[in-house]
Amino acid sequence: MSQKKGIGKTALITGASSGIGQELAKLFAQDGYNLVLVARSVETLHRLSEVFEMNYGTEEVLVIEKDLSEEDAARDVYEQVKAKGITVDVLVNDAGVSTYGKFATETDWETEKSLIHLNVLTTTLLTKLYLKDMVARNEGKILNLASLVSITPFPLQAVYAATKSYVWNLTQSLVNELKDTNVTVTALMPNATDTDFFNKAGASDTLVTEMLDDPAMVAKDGYDALMAGKPKVVPGGIKNKAFEVMAYTMPQEMLASQMRKFNTPKQQVKEEAKSSGLAIGIGLAAVALTGIALAALYRNASWSDKLQAQYQYGKAKYKAGKAYDQVKHAVSEVLA
């Protein structure tokens, strides 16, 4: 039996009551970590605490009931943990929410303000407070939940995508700042995942909900990357890796249109598909195949091979762009 890595260490996990956060908490418990679990659903956290203690022998679990969208919530959590004399070895910023609808006319500012506070301000302050302690000890790890939409437009969830872009950018900047220390920061970039996220956002009937990843898989890939000190991880197989490549290479107008389609009610997509014919599907399939090929090449390629791949991509992008022009009008009509 392998030695548990987390014996004597503590992981603090926000959003631990469900979804990816709960799966991450389970992995930390299995690895011997003591836990600080933060969420609004305190009853769920207490039940989890009992399960972890019974199944994995978790020695200490501190449950903190907190709405992290509130002013000074991050500092309050930090002070509560500090008052208990607990050293946080790993911070997981998992808590996050979204809202659904057209930014100009359908979404509510108070909801969006709360979303920004949780996804950006709380994440930033928790990171700052604990990172300062970690750098002083020259030891520690932080996992920030970004998203694949942190590198794409995401119409109808525009503010959510913007906040995740912030988390992605902050994380990668910190990776550079910390390169001469033993402290690491990792961005977890999942695709759409089978949690209560879309239901809470009011987007439970959108097309993307038919192509959800397993939260246990997402958590495991994120946990492994965190432990290895990687700057980022895109969980899942070649499909998600190809999606990442496409996000960097597809024309932004086309990418925004496709992301809008994913975020459109399923019945509306079906009705529009009947009138748009096969052109859109063929064009997107061509780009997808290009992305998959590039992702497969990049996985094991040498530096010189990657330069060659970029050159080949340039030619492929030109051809894809011509195909895109042919279907641009149809796409605009369907997704406008």
Side-chain angles (χ1 to χ4, degrees), residues 303-324:
W303 179 78
S304 60
D305 286 341
K306 288 182 179 180
L307 288 178
Q308 177 65 20
Q310 290 174 356
Y311 169 72
Q312 294 298 333
Y313 157 70
K315 295 198 298 183
K317 182 178 179 181
Y318 172 74
K319 294 178 180 178
K322 292 183 69 176
Y324 164 67

Side-chain angles (χ1 to χ4, degrees), residues 208-223:
V208 71
T209 60
E210 292 189 346
M211 50 190 83
L212 301 177
D213 285 338
D214 178 10
M217 177 275 292
V218 171
K220 183 64 168 64
D221 283 1
Y223 186 83

Side-chain angles (χ1 to χ4, degrees), residues 60-333:
E60 295 182 15
V61 181
L62 173 62
V63 169
I64 298 179
E65 180 180 14
K66 198 68 182 176
D67 181 351
L68 292 171
S69 67
E70 295 177 348
E71 190 73 25
D72 293 326
R75 191 173 297 278
D76 183 55
V77 168
Y78 178 79
E79 294 297 341
Q80 285 192 53
V81 174
K82 186 177 180 180
K84 296 283 186 180
I86 296 172
T87 297
V88 171
D89 300 280
V90 181
L91 169 66
V92 177
N93 286 308
D94 173 78
V97 294
S98 185
T99 186
Y100 180 79
K102 292 180 180 179
F103 176 77
T105 57
E106 296 177 353
T107 57
D108 171 68
W109 167 241
E110 291 302 319
T111 303
E112 286 169 332
K113 183 170 69 172
S114 177
L115 181 163
I116 294 168
H117 203 294
L118 172 59
N119 293 8
V120 174
L121 295 180
T122 295
T123 294
T124 303
L125 184 52
L126 279 175
T127 298
K128 189 173 187 69
L129 292 169
Y130 281 110
L131 192 57
K132 185 176 181 179
D133 293 344
M134 291 176 181
V135 169
R137 299 193 310 267
N138 197 27
E139 183 181 21
K141 296 179 181 295
I142 296 177
L143 181 67
N144 286 332
L145 190 71
S147 168
L148 272 177
V149 301
S150 67
I151 56 173
T152 75
F154 201 32
L156 303 181
Q157 293 191 54
V159 175
Y160 171 77
T163 64
K164 290 304 177 180
S165 294
Y166 173 90
V167 172
W168 159 253
N169 199 301
L170 174 68
T171 302
Q172 297 313 306
S173 296
L174 295 180
V175 167
N176 177 269
E177 292 182 14
L178 297 166
K179 64 182 181 179
D180 295 324
T181 74
N182 292 322
V183 181
T184 62
V185 186
T186 302
L188 175 56
M189 302 172 66
N191 208 332
T193 306
D194 190 10
T195 68
D196 202 30
F197 171 84
F198 289 99
N199 183 50
K200 289 180 178 177
S204 58
D205 191 44
T206 53
L207 181 63
V208 71
T209 60
E210 292 189 346
M211 50 190 83
L212 301 177
D213 285 338
D214 178 10
M217 177 275 292
V218 171
K220 183 64 168 64
D221 283 1
Y223 186 83
D224 290 346
L226 172 71
M227 291 301 153
K230 295 181 179 180
K232 71 175 178 75
V233 57
V234 177
I238 189 67
K239 173 178 68 72
N240 289 345
K241 305 298 189 296
F243 188 98
E244 180 190 15
V245 172
M246 284 191 295
Y248 290 127
T249 56
M250 184 187 288
Q252 286 295 296
E253 184 180 356
M254 187 177 188
L255 183 61
S257 294
Q258 179 59 23
M259 296 304 293
R260 172 72 177 270
K261 181 178 179 182
F262 287 145
N263 227 3
T264 300
K266 288 177 275 191
Q267 185 57 40
Q268 182 180 336
V269 172
K270 291 177 182 178
E271 292 173 356
E272 291 168 343
K274 292 178 182 178
S275 62
S276 65
L278 297 176
I280 295 173
I282 292 172
L284 292 173
V287 178
L289 288 173
T290 302
I292 290 171
L294 279 168
L297 177 61
Y298 260 61
R299 258 191 316 186
N300 300 307
S302 66
W303 179 78
S304 60
D305 286 341
K306 288 182 179 180
L307 288 178
Q308 177 65 20
Q310 290 174 356
Y311 169 72
Q312 294 298 333
Y313 157 70
K315 295 198 298 183
K317 182 178 179 181
Y318 172 74
K319 294 178 180 178
K322 292 183 69 176
Y324 164 67
D325 289 338
Q326 295 173 7
V327 300
K328 178 179 177 180
H329 180 67
V331 172
S332 299
E333 285 187 345

Side-chain angles (χ1 to χ4, degrees), residues 13 16 21-30 33 35 37 45-59 61:
I13 306 164
Q22 185 177 118
E23 295 295 338
L24 283 165
K26 180 180 178 180
L27 292 170
F28 280 104
Q30 289 174 338
Y33 281 84
L35 301 172
L37 306 179
L45 295 183
H46 281 301
R47 287 197 298 271
L48 280 176
S49 173
E50 294 172 359
V51 169
F52 294 158
E53 291 169 358
M54 181 180 301
N55 292 351
Y56 311 122
T58 307
E59 293 183 0
V61 181

